[in-house]
């Protein structure tokens, strides 16, 4: 769910800083599927969004309601950059970063996120 606020942008900055530092991204995984939802933002309404977090605690606090049976799962940053983001771009998906417990936050195009992570890590 889109949230256009300074808090969401700050959580996004923290996501980038922390995943580059710790070389790990976290998602929520169900039995055979990763958590995703549909964007409600005006410019991206209807596009699939896969949320990611910078640590397991943030991801776990969002494992509720439709995602109650999902578990926080670690994704190595290199795999995230090399496989996840290109595939998401091909599929037309967006990435959500460090969403709040209200399942709202920053949404970003996967190519833009890849570029931002590369800049932050000095690649």
């Amino acid at each position: 769910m889109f949230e256009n606020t300074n808090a969401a942008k700050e959580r996004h900055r923290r996501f980038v800083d922390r995943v580059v530092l710790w070389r790990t991204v976290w998602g929520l995984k169900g039995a055979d599927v990763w958590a995703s939802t549909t964007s409600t933002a005006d410019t991206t309404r209807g596009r699939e969004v896969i949320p990611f977090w910078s640590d397991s605690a943030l991801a776990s606090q969002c494992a509720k309601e439709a995602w109650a049976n999902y578990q926080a799962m670690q994704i190595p940053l290199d795999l995230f950059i090399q496989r996840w983001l290109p595939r998401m771009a091909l599929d037309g998906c967006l990435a959500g970063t460090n969403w709040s417990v209200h399942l709202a936050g920053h949404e970003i195009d996967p190519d833009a996120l890849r570029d931002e992570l590369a800049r932050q890590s000095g690649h």
Side-chain angles (χ1 to χ4, degrees):
M1 177 182 286
F2 180 71
E3 173 189 56
N4 190 9
T5 67
N6 288 336
K9 289 178 181 167
E10 179 55 36
R11 286 195 311 272
H12 173 73
R13 280 192 291 277
R14 201 169 341 156
F15 172 87
V16 171
D17 290 345
R18 289 180 179 174
V19 301
V20 167
L21 178 66
W22 296 333
R23 311 291 303 161
T24 300
V25 175
W26 292 86
L28 287 176
K29 190 167 190 313
D32 58 356
V33 67
W34 291 85
S36 68
T37 190
T38 304
S39 178
T40 59
D42 290 339
T43 58
T44 56
R45 187 178 313 277
R47 286 179 67 185
E48 183 179 11
V49 182
I50 302 174
F52 300 98
W53 294 267
S54 57
D55 66 65
S56 63
L58 292 174
S60 294
Q61 71 185 5
C62 294
K64 60 183 189 176
E65 298 170 11
W67 300 337
N69 294 323
Y70 287 52
Q71 300 292 320
M73 295 292 287
Q74 187 176 27
I75 305 165
L77 182 59
D78 290 341
L79 181 67
F80 184 70
I81 290 171
Q82 295 167 10
R83 296 233 180 112
W84 278 80
L85 293 175
R87 179 59 194 241
M88 289 172 63
L90 284 173
D91 291 345
C93 295
L94 298 168
T97 54
N98 275 359
W99 280 7
S100 71
V101 295
H102 305 293
L103 304 181
H106 190 72
E107 296 176 3
I108 186 170
D109 182 81
D111 289 336
L113 180 55
R114 185 195 64 229
D115 293 347
E116 197 171 339
L117 292 168
R119 277 193 308 277
Q120 185 71 17
S121 64
H123 288 98

